[in-house]
Amino acid sequence: MAERIVVDPITRIEGHLRAEVEISDGTIKDAFVSSTMVRGLENIVKGRNPKDVWAFVQRTCGVCTASHAITSVRAVEDALGIVVPPNAEMVRNMMLGALHLHDHVVHFYHLHAFDWVDVVSGLNADPVKTSQLAQSISNWPKSSPGYFSDLQTRLKKFVNSGQLGIFANGYWGHPAMKLPPEVNLMATAHYLEALEWQKEIVKVHAIFGGKNPHPNFLVGGMACAINLDDASGLNAERLAFVRQLLEQGKEFVEQVYIPDVLAIASFYKDWGKIGGFHNFMAFGDLPMQGYNNTDHKTFKFPSGVIMDRDLSKIHEVDIRDLKTVEEYVNNSWYDYEGDGNTGRQPWSGETNIHYTGPQPPYSHLDVSQKYSFIKTPRWKGHAMEVGPLARVLVGYAEGREDYKELVDSALAKLELPLDALYSTLGRTAARALESQLVANWNLEFHDELIKNIKNGDTRMANMDNWETKAWPKECKGVGLVEAPRGGLSHWIVIKDGKVENYQQVVPSTWNASPRDPKGQRSPYESTLINTPVADPELPLELIRTIHSFDPCIACAVHLYDEKGEIIKQVNDISVCTI
């Protein structure tokens, strides 16, 4: 008889995620994933001025604020036919690029790495050998024996005091942990360094957007004016500081992040066969010749769909086809006018909350009924994985040299086949490889901006269609962005100068949605099937796969037996995000 365990909440930054899985013979046989928190921002922005919507909807997330804001302004610009100046495109690219670097580094070190790294084991490391290891894989300057010895001394003080501070409540000593003490000590040192670094890269948002989080944006361009002679404008000093931050980001990715991921992955190659999905979708982003350019070859992030892992054919996303993207609510706590088993294209989508789940406290969800606040989006009726792995696979399948060089080099170093990308390990590695690409592109965006300014183009906004009275009586638009966690879309219908309808289809809805009317599982539920779990009271293996998607993860994990009796509660601070 299968044993059902519950991991809830799997969240920390935003949203609440619950996983109920059935385990038999030490393997997950079935899985149900539920969001237990409602969003509802779609209803809040109805009736408002479309030019103001970005300020509301960027509160959808505490991390991807810029992603939601840019998606929103793109949706409005699409509806009104506004083309933004090249300078604004480059600034938006740099802000998205900085966000990708920040998000991926924070995800790996602070939200996911300690699923693989045992901090306590690092206490037994030889600092000299740790230094030799670090220097053998990177030129990072903080790699001396004394540096690691000092860190080890600090860790021992934590332990001797009876607490591990920020490293408390992890899966330390779990039999699935495989790293030698020296690798554990090196990774722990870089966890702390990443904490320091991540507060620097977000200064790019503060310079261009005035603050972080929730920087300022503008329909038609950007709200930061170029004025090389004014201390309050975007002048030469501030542009030089942005360049410095982007170069530091590239250095950290190349000398710390990439070497650490490859070093750790080399001990977990068996995870190259666990946790894979089959369909992948990327919208495309980071335009070099205008977001309105229909030639997506001019975008840094690729666009396309891969079906059944067939890299020989890339399908067009064709987002404006009304039957391409549809959302279902057959298993979600919403009502659609009519039949919830019929998909709704987002321009005609509804956000009618109707909770019919169990009243708390409860032991298990009734998964024969609706069981999540996440809707179920489908591309032409198919479940899709979105995110870094999808982008890397589409770029690789397109034959882009930058993608192929990075992917082939990493696989060669790990001595793994291409199929290993379809896995928990591949998903984690894809984030690191993508960070390398983005770090390089960021400098190109900066170069392009400086070139434009030197050529005399200081335009930052297009105000030709700013006045509401010039707008058509009714229009609609869609904004797309490749957020760190995957393809994000905002859909707007404007009537009489106000928002008539607004829908957000976010990356987590693609990856974490409940089953559709055909019973098809989305990536979260699908990738957990056949995952081995050695100890249901410490389901580290389950968490590794869920965390590889970078979802909202819990700071507390509650486990129940098949009768609903609580058997273990773990406060886990090593995990989080959306």
Side-chain angles (χ1 to χ4, degrees):
M1 180 179 178
E3 176 186 15
R4 176 177 288 191
I5 68 170
V6 179
V7 183
D8 179 24
I10 311 177
T11 185
R12 193 175 184 192
I13 293 179
E14 286 195 74
H16 285 68
L17 191 68
R18 175 187 180 95
E20 296 193 7
V21 302
E22 294 178 358
I23 298 175
S24 179
D25 298 326
T27 304
I28 294 176
K29 302 299 184 184
D30 207 350
F32 299 88
V33 174
S34 169
S35 169
T36 56
M37 176 178 279
V38 68
R39 188 175 64 219
L41 273 164
E42 291 91 340
N43 292 336
I44 291 174
V45 300
K46 280 187 176 181
R48 297 186 183 275
N49 188 323
K51 293 181 291 190
D52 298 337
V53 171
W54 65 266
F56 292 89
V57 296
Q58 71 168 301
R59 268 73 182 178
T60 303
C61 179
V63 180
C64 287
T65 57
S67 297
H68 284 283
I70 293 176
T71 313
S72 178
V73 296
R74 281 179 176 173
V76 178
E77 289 160 358
D78 181 56
L80 300 175
I82 297 173
V83 178
V84 306
N87 291 336
E89 293 278 33
M90 291 305 111
V91 168
R92 289 180 183 181
N93 282 355
M94 278 185 275
M95 295 182 75
L96 283 174
L99 175 63
H100 274 260
L101 294 190
H102 176 271
D103 190 274
H104 288 354
V105 168
V106 168
H107 166 257
F108 178 69
Y109 285 102
H110 308 129
L111 312 177
H112 188 36
F114 286 165
D115 297 341
W116 316 93
V117 174
D118 189 333
V119 173
V120 176
S121 165
L123 296 177
N124 300 319
D126 180 340
V128 174
K129 292 182 178 178
T130 304
S131 172
Q132 293 170 346
L133 167 68
Q135 294 183 39
S136 71
I137 62 174
S138 169
N139 294 323
W140 189 241
K142 297 180 179 178
S143 298
S144 69
Y147 177 75
F148 290 113
S149 180
D150 289 345
L151 172 68
Q152 195 178 48
T153 299
R154 291 165 59 193
L155 284 177
K156 286 179 179 177
K157 286 182 179 178
F158 276 130
V159 175
N160 292 337
S161 69
Q163 58 183 351
L164 271 169
I166 59 174
F167 302 121
N169 301 318
Y171 286 91
W172 320 135
H174 194 286
M177 295 288 194
K178 297 181 179 179
L179 297 181
E182 285 72 25
V183 181
N184 286 316
L185 181 61
M186 178 183 70
T188 303
H190 294 165
Y191 171 105
L192 295 171
E193 291 176 36
L195 275 178
E196 283 295 312
W197 170 83
Q198 57 93 21
K199 68 178 175 55
E200 296 298 313
I201 192 68
V202 297
K203 291 177 181 175
V204 173
H205 284 200
I207 292 171
F208 288 134
K211 58 193 175 81
N212 181 276
H214 306 121
N216 294 309
F217 289 90
L218 179 72
V219 170
M222 286 298 298
C224 49
I226 296 173
N227 191 333
L228 300 181
D229 300 319
D230 189 336
S232 63
L234 197 56
N235 55 35
E237 180 185 9
R238 293 182 182 181
L239 289 171
F241 187 40
V242 168
R243 179 84 184 188
Q244 178 183 329
L245 293 169
L246 297 179
E247 288 176 343
Q248 288 174 351
K250 184 173 184 288
E251 183 182 42
F252 191 86
V253 168
E254 290 179 343
Q255 297 194 23
V256 182
Y257 186 13
I258 296 284
D260 281 356
V261 168
L262 294 179
I264 293 170
S266 68
F267 291 90
Y268 290 104
K269 294 182 182 179
D270 52 327
W271 279 85
K273 298 179 180 178
I274 299 171
F277 197 58
H278 48 276
N279 298 333
F280 304 90
M281 180 170 69
F283 291 156
D285 205 338
L286 303 180
M288 292 301 291
Q289 297 178 23
Y291 175 72
N292 301 73
N293 194 327
T294 56
D295 180 7
H296 281 183
K297 300 293 185 185
T298 62
F299 285 20
K300 290 295 188 182
F301 278 142
S303 171
V305 168
I306 293 172
M307 298 295 297
D308 299 322
R309 303 183 179 182
D310 180 4
L311 299 185
S312 68
K313 184 175 182 180
I314 300 176
H315 302 262
E316 186 181 353
V317 175
D318 54 5
I319 197 82
R320 294 176 184 278
D321 184 334
L322 297 183
K323 297 300 290 183
T324 293
V325 176
E326 294 178 303
E327 287 192 301
Y328 297 84
V329 295
N330 60 296
N331 272 318
S332 308
W333 291 311
Y334 299 92
D335 277 343
Y336 273 172
E337 184 178 348
D339 184 2
N341 289 316
T342 301
R344 283 292 185 95
Q345 200 276 341
W347 276 320
S348 60
E350 300 175 5
T351 307
N352 301 322
I353 301 165
H354 186 207
Y355 180 73
T356 57
Q359 296 301 313
Y362 54 87
S363 299
H364 296 104
L365 295 165
D366 180 358
V367 293
S368 68
Q369 305 295 319
K370 297 186 175 192
Y371 62 91
S372 179
F373 272 119
I374 293 180
K375 295 181 182 178
T376 303
R378 291 290 183 260
W379 179 82
K380 295 185 176 179
H382 300 284
M384 290 288 152
E385 176 175 342
V386 297
L389 178 57
R391 292 189 288 261
V392 166
L393 287 172
V394 174
Y396 189 90
E398 278 190 349
R400 294 194 181 190
E401 286 304 316
D402 46 2
Y403 280 93
K404 286 186 66 68
E405 183 179 347
L406 264 182
V407 170
D408 289 341
S409 174
L411 290 173
K413 289 177 180 175
L414 293 172
E415 298 180 328
L416 288 172
L418 184 61
D419 284 353
L421 290 175
Y422 306 116
S423 67
T424 299
L425 184 67
R427 197 172 294 112
T428 301
R431 270 191 168 74
L433 299 179
E434 181 177 82
S435 296
Q436 175 70 81
L437 293 171
V438 172
N440 294 335
W441 297 337
N442 277 340
L443 300 181
E444 289 187 47
F445 304 146
H446 190 273
D447 288 341
E448 192 69 16
L449 175 63
I450 298 301
K451 185 178 74 174
N452 288 341
I453 295 173
K454 287 182 176 178
N455 288 337
D457 182 0
T458 58
R459 296 171 300 151
M460 193 59 86
N462 174 2
M463 296 287 99
D464 291 346
N465 213 9
W466 179 256
E467 297 297 335
T468 308
K469 60 184 179 183
W471 297 0
K473 181 176 177 57
E474 186 169 351
C475 55
K476 59 186 178 184
V478 57
L480 305 175
V481 158
E482 282 295 339
R485 291 169 184 79
L488 169 66
S489 59
H490 287 199
W491 307 71
I492 189 170
V493 177
I494 301 172
K495 187 175 181 181
D496 298 326
K498 303 291 184 182
V499 177
E500 177 73 7
N501 195 15
Y502 202 90
Q503 293 291 312
Q504 298 171 275
V505 185
V506 306
S508 291
T509 58
W510 288 101
N511 290 335
S513 51
R515 285 163 170 76
D516 64 21
K518 297 178 183 176
Q520 296 180 110
R521 296 185 182 93
S522 299
Y524 279 19
E525 294 183 346
S526 179
T527 54
L528 289 175
I529 306 301
N530 295 325
T531 297
V533 177
D535 183 356
E537 293 192 25
L538 296 171
L540 176 60
E541 299 89 342
L542 180 159
I543 289 174
R544 282 175 173 172
T545 291
I546 292 292
H547 286 181
S548 70
F549 286 94
D550 193 10
C552 291
I553 305 299
C555 56
V557 177
H558 312 274
L559 299 183
Y560 299 81
D561 66 13
E562 70 278 11
K563 297 178 182 178
E565 299 292 329
I566 189 167
I567 56 177
K568 188 76 174 179
Q569 178 166 326
V570 181
N571 293 320
D572 188 353
I573 66 158
S574 66
V575 291
C576 109
T577 151
I578 189 172

